[in-house]
Amino acid sequence: MNITVIFLLGMIIALVGVIPPGLLNMTAAKISLKEGHVRGIMFSIGVCVIVFLQTYIAAMFARYLTNHPDIVEVLQRVAFVIFVLITIYYLLIAKATSKTEIEPQSRSKHSRFFHGMFLSAINVFPIPYQAYMTVTLASFGWLEFNRPMIISYVGGAVTGTFVMLYMYIFFFDKIKNKRLTSQKNMNYIIGTITGVIAIVTLFNIIMDL
């Protein structure tokens, strides 16, 4: 498939992954609101540097998995348990501990860049998400694990992530008072998404038996 199409697919997949309100996009929006767009954008660039590395690692991992289908079966079971635990946490536990909100402290542009790198680095969810999506694209024959296609897909993922973070920065003033951005609703959204993924993973495990 054309590398331009792969770039667009990577961008769309990353956009979908960052749409739900979460740690990275909400932090970028709050920094922009309190410290200005420049610092919010610097934070987002720091996030994207790590996203580049995470997506590349995910693609390499996916290439390995396509050659070792027996490992995929084990990882499916591990992923199912992890997604169930994450779902339980966000739907039942996090809502009891989400009343306190930490306001971002004023920092320099460079520290916001490294702040973005740090928060993105501890957010390891993009690695299994991107690995799953690249394996899926490869199974459809849309993605080949050669250097141009991988770089094109990774570039698209980075672009999609930055675009969504910038959209949160730009539109935060309009959505900040709506229920979607409350911590309780964020927990429900994330918990619902991981719950759906857990169900799909369980279905795949049963189908493979």
Side-chain angles (χ1 to χ4, degrees), residues 26-142:
M26 294 303 294
T27 301
K30 289 178 181 179
I31 290 173
S32 175
L33 184 66
K34 293 182 176 295
E35 302 176 23
H37 277 37
V38 174
R39 284 186 170 83
I41 290 173
M42 288 301 296
F43 174 86
S44 301
I45 293 173
V47 169
C48 290
V49 169
I50 300 300
V51 168
F52 179 91
L53 297 175
Q54 289 176 329
T55 309
Y56 188 81
I57 291 170
M60 294 297 99
F61 187 51
R63 181 170 66 179
Y64 176 81
L65 290 179
T66 55
N67 297 324
H68 298 81
D70 52 321
I71 299 180
V72 176
E73 296 178 6
V74 176
L75 289 178
Q76 278 184 329
R77 288 160 173 77
V78 173
F80 171 70
V81 174
I82 292 173
F83 285 129
V84 168
L85 292 176
I86 293 174
T87 301
I88 292 172
Y89 173 77
Y90 277 105
L91 293 182
L92 302 177
I93 300 174
K95 65 179 181 180
T97 59
S98 61
K99 294 181 180 179
T100 343
E101 187 174 322
I102 301 174
E103 298 295 338
Q105 299 176 354
S106 180
R107 303 182 183 182
S108 68
K109 290 185 288 186
H110 291 93
S111 66
R112 282 306 181 190
F113 172 80
F114 291 112
H115 185 203
M117 290 183 66
F118 173 73
L119 288 187
S120 186
I122 64 175
N123 177 40
V124 295
F125 185 75
I127 295 178
Y129 171 71
Q130 290 290 357
Y132 176 78
M133 295 310 300
T134 48
V135 167
T136 302
L137 292 176
S139 67
F140 291 149
W142 296 349

